[in-house]
């Protein structure tokens, strides 16, 4: 029998995209045997579904925030991805609570993080601790969102809402000059191409000066150059260098030695 290759119907896809969706069907397959995955005895998700009978699916999990590993103590930044085991551990009303279990990339410690639908966040359950990054919005000058009690009071108390609005207007008036300065500064520095060009030119000048310094001192291009310090300057002033004798002085000394007697009290070789 001749192998059958089933291609999708002709569409506006180019040749490369048509190759991607093409599937190979072995000669012993017939349409009565079902799908190709069923015929081959494998799951459509392949190795990711090896623990599906335990309710576990292997996914690519991305860290929602910065954490400290409980095994090696390393800092794991937000956005780092791991192959994690995803499983359902409960429900909050009709919303499932998902648990993600993965291993640290530097130690055998396992970390578990699960969802918290009630507070719309992720919670570290085991193997790590979340990095605390709290701040006072008033001190850093960012917008401070009202709490539920504050929102309720603003909605019910008209005088309190009016007083709150007056405070917001006063803050806007006080911060107007600073905002104007920032806007003017951004307007003068809005040309990204010019800024990039100046930065690259400055970097080239620094590299040229570094190369000239290395050539002047006879250093390799791979040797790191440290910034000058007072200790190095003092050590250079105290260093004593012996002057190397010239070639003519070495010849004169050699001639004087050969012309004189070899032993004390003997005659010179030239007099013989």
């Amino acid at each position: 029998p001749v192998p059958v290759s089933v291609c999708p119907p002709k569409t506006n896809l180019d040749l490369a995209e048509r190759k991607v969706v093409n599937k190979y069907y072995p000669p012993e397959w017939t349409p009565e045997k079902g799908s190709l995955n069923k015929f081959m005895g494998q799951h459509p998700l392949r190795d990711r579904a090896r623990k599906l009978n335990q309710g576990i699916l292997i996914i690519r999990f991305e860290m929602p925030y910065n954490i400290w590993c409980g095994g090696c103590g390393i800092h794991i930044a937000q956005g780092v991805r791991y192959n994690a085991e995803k499983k359902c551990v409960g429900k909050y009303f009709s919303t499932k609570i998902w648990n993600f279990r993965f291993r640290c990339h530097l130690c055998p410690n396992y970390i578990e993080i699960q969802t918290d639908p009630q507070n719309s966040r992720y919670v570290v359950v085991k193997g790590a601790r979340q990095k605390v990054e709290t701040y006072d919005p008033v001190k850093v000058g960012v917008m401070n969102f009202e709490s539920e009690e504050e929102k309720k009071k603003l909605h019910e108390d008209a005088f309190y809402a009016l007083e709150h609005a007056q405070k917001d207007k006063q803050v806007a008036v006080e911060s107007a000059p600073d905002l104007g300065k920032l806007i003017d500064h951004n307007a003068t520095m809005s040309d990204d191409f010019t800024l990039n060009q100046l930065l690259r030119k400055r970097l080239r000048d620094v590299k040229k000066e570094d190369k000239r310094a290395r050539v002047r001192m006879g250093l390799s291009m791979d040797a790191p150059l440290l910034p000058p310090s007072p200790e190095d300057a003092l050590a250079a002033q105290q260093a004593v260098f012996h002057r190397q004798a010239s070639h003519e002085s070495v010849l004169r000394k050699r001639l004087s030695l050969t012309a004189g007697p070899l032993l004390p009290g003997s005659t010179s070789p030239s007099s013989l």
Side-chain angles (χ1 to χ4, degrees):
V2 180
V4 180
S5 179
V6 180
C7 296
K10 292 184 178 181
T11 59
N12 294 329
L13 301 176
D14 56 7
L15 182 58
E17 292 176 344
R18 291 181 62 189
K19 284 183 178 180
V20 172
V21 298
N22 190 18
K23 295 181 179 180
Y24 170 77
Y25 288 81
E28 57 272 13
W29 175 86
T30 57
E32 293 78 11
K33 296 182 180 179
S35 65
L36 187 59
N37 290 322
K38 183 179 179 181
F39 175 75
M40 299 297 294
Q42 60 187 6
H43 196 275
L45 297 178
R46 302 297 191 274
D47 192 54
R48 293 173 51 195
R50 62 180 182 271
K51 296 184 179 180
L52 204 59
N53 56 346
Q54 307 174 21
I56 298 175
L57 178 65
I58 309 299
I59 66 164
R60 194 70 173 164
F61 179 75
E62 183 174 335
M63 291 300 305
Y65 42 68
N66 300 328
I67 67 170
W68 299 97
C69 176
C72 58
I74 189 175
H75 173 262
I76 302 177
Q78 178 183 358
V80 179
R81 298 179 179 180
Y82 292 92
N83 292 332
E85 298 178 355
K86 173 185 174 182
K87 64 179 178 179
C88 180
V89 294
K91 283 189 176 183
Y92 175 71
F93 293 102
S94 60
T95 304
K96 294 183 178 181
I97 300 177
W98 297 104
N99 180 279
F100 306 94
R101 182 174 182 267
F102 54 91
R103 194 180 71 175
C104 176
H105 60 286
L106 293 179
C107 68
N109 177 54
Y110 277 90
I111 303 172
E112 291 188 14
I113 297 178
Q114 71 181 29
T115 58
D116 184 9
Q118 182 177 2
N119 300 313
S120 301
R121 59 189 298 266
Y122 288 89
V123 180
V124 178
V125 178
K126 181 181 177 183
R129 58 184 176 89
Q130 182 180 356
K131 183 180 179 181
V132 180
E133 297 175 318
T134 58
Y135 59 90
D136 187 3
V138 178
K139 292 183 179 180
V140 298
V142 299
M143 183 180 296
N144 184 16
F145 296 97
E146 295 85 1
S147 60
E148 295 297 332
E149 294 79 7
E150 186 79 8
K151 292 179 181 179
K152 185 177 180 180
K153 193 174 182 180
L154 287 172
H155 181 70
E156 296 177 352
D157 193 343
F159 289 100
Y160 182 78
L162 181 61
E163 182 181 357
H164 194 276
Q166 292 297 330
K167 290 182 180 179
D168 291 343
K169 291 181 181 179
Q170 183 66 24
V171 172
V173 171
E174 294 176 356
S175 59
D178 297 334
L179 292 176
K181 292 179 182 179
L182 290 175
I183 292 174
D184 296 339
H185 179 73
N186 291 336
T188 57
M189 306 295 290
S190 59
D191 190 358
D192 297 336
F193 176 78
T194 304
L195 292 176
N196 196 345
Q197 189 178 31
L198 292 174
L199 184 62
R200 287 186 283 111
K201 183 178 182 300
R202 187 180 306 171
L203 181 60
R204 285 196 297 268
D205 295 340
V206 171
K207 287 184 175 181
K208 288 180 181 178
E209 182 63 27
D210 181 72
K211 184 176 181 180
R212 285 195 292 266
R214 290 174 183 273
V215 172
R216 185 171 59 252
M217 293 184 292
L219 296 178
S220 171
M221 293 299 173
D222 299 329
L225 291 180
L226 300 178
S229 63
E231 293 80 5
D232 295 339
L234 182 61
Q237 293 175 1
Q238 296 176 351
V240 178
F241 298 96
H242 295 282
R243 185 176 179 181
Q244 186 176 5
S246 62
H247 183 64
E248 292 78 6
S249 62
V250 172
L251 290 178
R252 285 196 299 269
K253 186 176 182 180
R254 185 179 299 172
L255 288 175
S256 64
L257 291 175
T258 55
L262 298 177
L263 297 175
S266 61
T267 59
S268 61
S270 58
S271 61
L272 296 177

